[in-house]
Amino acid sequence: KYKIAVIQLNLNDVAENNLKKCLSWVRDAANQGAEVISLPELYSSHYFCQSEDVDNFALAEPLYSTSFTAFSALAKELGVVIIVPFFEKRMAGIYHNSAYIIDTDGTEAGLYRKMHIPDDPGYYEKFYFTPGDLGYKVFQTKFGKLGVLICWDQWYPEAARITSLMGAEILFYPTAIGWDVNEQDPAISQEQYNAWQTIQRSHSVANGVYVVSVNRVGREADQQFWGGSFVSNPFGSLMYLASH
């Protein structure tokens, strides 16, 4: 058995401040007994995919630079596993929506690159991200076998199924999803949230695994990120649900 923590927070700030904030919150979680800790999708910046702007590529970082250095040191110091989703610059013209899985000794348990890339109003991710080329993966850590998928992957049963069949005990979904502030019908907003939660809880039931969904919160431009981070058990029952 091991304890997990989800870090649900507002990230509408510059990279340096978001890094400091997330390091502090991870430390707080570890001090409360957490052993596996996950940040939300694209932790280091505001959710820039609401528009198609080439200037936003400056937010990306190469592998094993700022984010890895900082969280690797913290994982080793605290003896915890940390899931760190970030904007990866692989090379000129090729960028990924990625996540480090950092083990308790500060080494990399693995890297995941988001496979399913949306292109919807307010979520123009295909402008920025190349689909992942590493496939679905399971990461062996000190505390257990973790499956890590990212946001839009959550709508696809095959992603959960394949990762579970590979031996994952928990599926983590670092996420950035919210409501369009221009949507005036609360019933539609509720339907969107219900669908998001239901599809992920169904992955628990279908595969007999725990599911952990980790969302950001707060308003950024035209998106009100709805938080609602949760943990479901293998029966799909909510063990924990964060507020909006």
Side-chain angles (χ1 to χ4, degrees):
K1 293 183 178 180
Y2 48 93
K3 294 182 179 180
I4 64 169
V6 299
I7 306 294
Q8 174 177 294
L9 72 172
N10 181 283
L11 295 164
N12 193 12
D13 207 340
V14 299
E16 181 181 358
N17 292 341
N18 284 337
L19 175 61
K20 290 179 181 178
K21 188 175 182 178
C22 287
L23 289 169
S24 174
W25 282 44
V26 167
R27 185 179 295 277
D28 288 347
N31 288 338
Q32 294 178 53
E35 295 163 306
V36 178
I37 304 167
S38 180
L39 296 169
E41 180 183 22
L42 298 170
Y43 90 90
S44 68
S45 69
H46 64 286
Y47 183 73
F48 52 85
C49 306
Q50 293 189 58
S51 63
E52 297 182 346
D53 185 346
V54 294
D55 290 342
N56 287 328
F57 285 105
L59 297 170
E61 58 181 91
L63 284 175
Y64 313 120
S65 54
T66 304
S67 293
F68 184 82
T69 300
F71 286 102
S72 172
L74 189 62
K76 184 176 182 179
E77 176 194 342
L78 300 174
V80 298
V81 173
I82 310 176
I83 298 169
V84 184
F86 69 106
F87 184 13
E88 177 192 348
K89 180 179 181 180
R90 186 171 176 184
M91 63 184 73
I94 300 182
Y95 296 77
H96 295 287
N97 187 331
S98 303
Y100 296 117
I101 296 80
I102 302 175
D103 212 344
T104 57
D105 60 357
T107 62
E108 182 192 49
L111 176 74
Y112 176 72
R113 290 172 173 152
K114 184 175 179 177
M115 301 275 279
H116 298 95
I117 311 297
D119 191 40
D120 284 342
Y123 297 88
Y124 299 111
E125 294 195 13
K126 287 187 176 178
F127 182 80
Y128 297 99
F129 309 129
T130 298
D133 61 339
L134 301 176
Y136 302 118
K137 303 178 74 174
V138 171
F139 306 97
Q140 180 66 59
T141 71
K142 177 181 177 180
F143 297 115
K145 293 181 179 179
L146 310 181
V148 177
L149 300 158
I150 298 177
C151 200
W152 204 248
D153 291 329
Q154 66 212 357
W155 299 102
Y156 297 88
E158 64 269 23
R161 186 64 173 163
I162 293 169
T163 306
S164 298
L165 287 172
M166 293 171 68
E169 299 160 346
I170 299 183
L171 300 179
F172 283 86
Y173 288 96
T175 295
I177 191 169
W179 292 297
D180 187 326
V181 297
N182 300 304
E183 174 56 63
Q184 300 299 312
D185 188 340
I188 291 176
S189 295
Q190 188 62 43
E191 275 193 329
Q192 291 171 339
Y193 172 73
N194 289 345
W196 174 79
Q197 189 192 98
T198 300
I199 189 66
Q200 293 177 89
R201 290 170 68 183
S202 76
H203 300 329
S204 286
V205 178
N207 298 294
V209 297
Y210 293 85
V211 166
V212 180
S213 189
V214 191
N215 194 17
R216 63 174 67 203
V217 71
R219 179 168 176 174
E220 301 181 27
D222 288 334
Q223 292 294 324
Q224 177 68 41
F225 290 95
W226 63 45
S229 301
F230 68 88
V231 180
S232 65
N233 72 12
F235 289 99
S237 299
L238 290 176
M239 302 177 67
Y240 177 79
L241 176 63
S243 72
H244 292 312

